[in-house]
Amino acid sequence: MTTIGYFRRDGETFVGRLSTLQIDAAVRLVPIEKISPRAPAFRAFVGDNECGAAWRPLDPASGAILNVELDDPTWTEPVNARLMASEEPHPLVWIRQRPDRAPDKPAEEVKSRAPT
C-alpha cells in the first residue's frame, strides 16, 4: 500500500493533500446529507471543483475511516484510496485496482503439466 497523502480533521471536514508523481492538490472531504444507504457520506473538492466522494467503510476491520474515490477527466482511471484511522495526520493509502484474474486452473491440469 502506498501513502499518497495526509489529512487532518477540521470540524466534520477532512482537509489534506494528495501528492503523487503527477498530482499535487489540496483536497477537502466535506460531509453531505445521505439521500440513500448507498450514497456517499462526503464529497471531495479541490478548490470549488468537486472531484470525488467518500463512503464510510462497511467493514470496520479494514482500518479505514473513509473509502475515497477521486476522479478527473484528465486521468485514465479514478484514484481509489482509504483514509486510515491513526493519530493525525491520517494517511491516505492508494488502493490499486486489479484486473479480473482468470480462475485458477483445476489441480488435475496443474499436475498433468508437472515434470516427472
Side-chain angles (χ1 to χ4, degrees):
M1 293 193 295
T2 302
T3 300
I4 58 172
Y6 289 94
F7 284 73
R8 295 184 181 278
R9 275 193 183 269
D10 183 7
E12 293 297 313
T13 300
F14 289 94
V15 293
R17 183 153 222 96
L18 172 65
S19 183
T20 70
L21 294 175
Q22 294 184 347
I23 304 165
D24 185 25
V27 178
R28 289 177 295 119
L29 301 173
V30 179
I32 59 171
E33 185 176 329
K34 288 185 71 138
I35 56 174
S36 75
R38 297 185 71 169
F42 289 78
R43 290 279 180 220
F45 293 90
V46 172
D48 292 332
N49 299 309
E50 185 176 334
C51 63
W55 292 259
R56 298 219 182 266
L58 298 175
D59 180 10
S62 72
I65 298 171
L66 295 172
N67 293 322
V68 180
E69 182 176 284
L70 304 173
D71 204 355
D72 183 86
T74 63
W75 302 346
T76 57
E77 63 185 60
V79 171
N80 291 288
R82 289 187 181 135
L83 188 61
M84 302 303 290
S86 71
E87 292 187 27
E88 286 195 8
H90 301 286
L92 182 67
V93 177
W94 176 41
I95 307 299
R96 180 182 291 275
Q97 297 299 310
R98 297 177 191 252
D100 290 339
R101 296 182 182 179
D104 290 338
K105 294 184 180 184
E108 306 81 50
E109 187 177 334
V110 173
K111 285 182 186 176
S112 69
R113 292 186 183 180
T116 54

